[in-house]
Amino acid sequence: MPVQPPTPNPSPREPLSLLALNGRAAEQFVQRLGWPPYRAQQILRWLYQGRVREVAQMTDLSKAERALLNDRTTVGRSRHCRVLQAEDGTRKFLIGLEDGLTVEAVLIPDGSRLTLCLSTQVGCTLDCTFCLTGTMGLKRNLKAHEIVDQVLTVQDRLEPNTTLSSLVLMGMGEPLANLDAVADAIARLTNHRWGVGISAHRITLSTAGLASRLNEVAGLGVNLAISLNASNQEQRAHLMPAVNRLHPLRTLLEACRAYPLPPRRRLTFEYVLLGGVNDQEPDAKRLVKLLAGIRCKVNLIPFNPFPGSPYQRPADRTVLRFQTILKQAGVDTFIRKSKGRDVLGACGQLGHLPDLITPDPIPLALTPAEAGC
Ligand code: SAH
């Protein structure tokens, strides 16, 4: 066998990304450098609380320590970001990843509240037929630090004296199909000592229904939302084929019933209302029966269209009738306002449209609020 010649001038090792280290890995890293353990927390605080982009900004490390870190590491924050501003104040952040892919996060103001919707995958593992992200396929899972970086990127651009009220993992992707990274990201987001310091009860994870993993969510301390979207098995098979094949409606509801809900918390069920498909009176009545005995509330989401989608948004009175039936049966039911539709920033509208620049049926008021961040 021919022997491979040695590579001339092997390229220097890629610098280590500090943001890619979780708490444990940061401790091991400082230990390898022979530094005292508390240096790990110092560095992490700079990353998640100081939101620094350069090692040079870590001013409580000595000059020599900064020089050493600078030599071996980078901070690892994303470099590219575009912001699209919708008329209702919703902002969609398009964040460039290391490998050239883009991830989307949506900041939704509502009165004095500010909710940030985060993505967990580029594209999605699943194929829900009413969701634009679902039509993209899965490009790849996000790493934990790429999930956290969405929060840091948005926090950098908040007006002074404003803070995020809540985080929802409801953007691109299925969080439970990337649970290790999601759990790691949540640990960093909720750590009050050195992390971002957002309480777990202000975070909601939404799943299309990977029933076998629900118990693992319980351990994370966050709220759980389940996208039910159908009132019977046949509908769900049609609307959410992949997840329903793995976990049919009955199995999913059994898992919800068995979910170890902490006191005073309840599950949220999301239900996308698709005109003439799952928005009729019998659907509402079946839904009431399905949810009997589960401590929960329901969020109704009138369908947000995207170019080429086969579904219609129901009329407002149909949405209200659906809500009334549930409420009269004693189920707390809310109608989700569709925010940011003009920048394709509403539920189910995240993803790439190859023909975004060609005329399409949705008026796109794409207003780049900032070009490159
Ligand atoms: N995969 C996760 C999170 C992403 S989808 C999940 O399924 O829960 C977030 C929410 O948006 C889900 O409740 C989903 O049912 C809803 N959704 C998807 N496409 C939509 C659309 N076009 N209009 C309205 N809601 C949509």
Side-chain angles (χ1 to χ4, degrees):
M1 240 175 78
V3 178
Q4 289 285 327
T7 332
N9 296 331
S11 61
R13 264 188 309 151
E14 282 276 300
L16 181 82
S17 155
L18 290 174
L19 209 61
L21 304 174
N22 60 19
R24 178 100 195 84
E27 280 168 16
Q28 289 166 346
F29 173 66
V30 300
Q31 199 178 11
R32 277 203 305 277
L33 293 180
W35 291 358
Y38 65 83
R39 284 273 179 275
Q41 286 207 12
Q42 254 175 310
I43 294 171
L44 294 170
R45 270 199 295 271
W46 280 116
L47 299 179
Y48 298 113
Q49 297 174 5
R51 297 198 299 279
V52 299
R53 289 178 171 273
E54 306 291 339
V55 168
Q57 292 169 278
M58 301 183 178
T59 47
D60 58 0
L61 303 183
S62 71
K63 274 198 175 148
E65 285 166 336
R66 273 180 271 166
L68 182 72
L69 266 194
N70 217 3
D71 204 39
R72 306 217 182 154
T73 68
T74 58
V75 165
R77 290 284 305 275
S78 61
R79 295 272 160 204
H80 306 288
C81 165
R82 273 184 76 209
V83 187
L84 304 178
Q85 170 99 41
E87 278 177 4
D88 61 16
T90 300
R91 277 186 275 171
K92 170 153 136 171
F93 293 76
L94 302 153
I95 301 172
L97 303 172
E98 237 170 36
D99 54 3
L101 292 172
T102 303
V103 71
E104 303 182 14
V106 184
L107 182 65
I108 310 152
D110 189 9
S112 60
R113 295 180 48 77
L114 257 188
T115 300
L116 179 62
C117 179
L118 300 175
S119 295
T120 54
Q121 298 182 312
V122 185
C124 187
T125 324
L126 302 174
D127 58 359
C128 305
T129 54
F130 48 81
C131 178
L132 175 61
T133 314
T135 65
M136 284 174 70
L138 177 69
K139 300 273 192 267
R140 72 168 170 85
N141 279 331
L142 288 180
K143 296 175 190 145
H145 71 274
E146 292 170 327
I147 299 172
V148 180
D149 182 70
Q150 295 169 56
V151 179
L152 303 177
T153 301
V154 170
Q155 282 181 323
D156 278 343
R157 290 160 182 82
L158 293 179
E159 281 73 40
N161 302 322
T162 50
T163 50
L164 296 172
S165 334
S166 54
L167 298 179
V168 292
L169 282 75
M170 293 186 187
M172 297 168 95
E174 168 51 43
L176 297 193
N178 185 19
L179 190 52
D180 286 348
V182 165
D184 184 350
I186 288 173
R188 302 186 205 190
L189 290 168
T190 54
N191 189 300
H192 284 273
R193 270 176 300 127
W194 53 258
V196 179
I198 298 176
S199 299
H201 70 260
R202 294 183 183 276
I203 302 180
T204 300
L205 180 154
S206 175
T207 177
L210 295 185
S212 57
R213 305 217 170 130
L214 296 193
N215 272 334
E216 292 171 62
V217 181
L220 303 177
V222 297
N223 303 301
L224 176 61
I226 295 116
S227 300
L228 203 59
N229 299 337
S231 67
N232 63 30
Q233 168 66 10
E234 201 190 329
Q235 252 176 23
R236 201 165 142 93
H238 181 64
L239 299 175
M240 308 174 78
V243 68
N244 190 70
R245 227 174 289 126
L246 288 168
H247 305 283
L249 186 59
R250 213 162 63 100
T251 319
L252 174 59
L253 288 166
E254 274 165 18
C256 291
R257 289 207 157 76
Y259 188 77
L261 263 178
R264 291 193 301 280
R265 294 242 198 139
R266 50 188 180 169
L267 293 175
T268 300
F269 286 98
E270 291 154 295
Y271 192 98
V272 181
L273 285 167
L274 305 163
V277 175
N278 65 355
D279 63 344
Q280 301 298 300
E281 272 186 55
D283 290 300
K285 289 181 179 156
R286 276 197 297 266
L287 186 56
V288 168
K289 285 203 183 128
L290 288 180
L291 301 182
I294 306 181
R295 207 158 79 229
C296 68
K297 65 171 173 161
V298 170
N299 279 344
L300 299 175
I301 319 176
F303 174 64
N304 295 312
F306 51 88
S309 66
Y311 301 107
Q312 306 288 325
R313 190 178 172 88
D316 288 351
R317 65 182 140 66
T318 312
V319 176
L320 284 173
R321 182 185 61 184
F322 201 97
Q323 182 192 32
T324 307
I325 296 171
L326 265 71
K327 280 175 103 169
Q328 281 175 350
V331 182
D332 255 352
T333 307
F334 304 88
I335 299 170
R336 175 93 57 83
K337 288 184 214 157
S338 298
K339 295 251 179 177
R341 285 167 72 200
D342 52 348
V343 291
L344 289 182
C347 290
Q349 293 186 314
L350 303 189
H352 299 293
L353 288 173
D355 55 351
L356 199 62
I357 32 176
T358 62
D360 63 53
I362 297 183
L364 290 171
L366 297 174
T367 324
E370 299 165 43
C373 309

